Amino acid sequence: MWAKLRAFFKDSEVIFWSRLQLVIGFAAGLLTYVDPSLVSPIMDAKYLPYFLFANGVATEYLRRRRDHL
């Protein structure tokens, strides 16, 4: 099972992270479209810049980690 999962993501953490972001972004967009008040308790708008910064740092870490292997 784990081997199939790794093969699906081509043994890359960055590909996994980007596909996870895609799924979460699609779900959040869909929830926002249906009812915007569903997403607001999960993340307040004032925390969005910090989330985006942390997300960028995590993506860069995973990409550089892969370069050293």
Side-chain angles (χ1 to χ4, degrees), residues 11-60:
D11 199 28
S12 174
E13 296 89 356
V14 178
I15 293 174
F16 166 75
W17 187 248
S18 66
R19 290 183 182 170
L20 180 66
Q21 289 176 357
L22 177 72
V23 169
I24 291 172
F26 179 76
L30 187 62
L31 285 175
T32 303
Y33 180 74
V34 172
D35 187 7
S37 65
L38 293 174
V39 180
S40 60
I42 297 170
M43 179 180 288
D44 195 11
K46 66 181 178 181
Y47 296 119
L48 185 62
Y50 302 112
F51 172 75
L52 292 175
F53 178 77
N55 191 22
V57 169
T59 302
E60 185 66 19

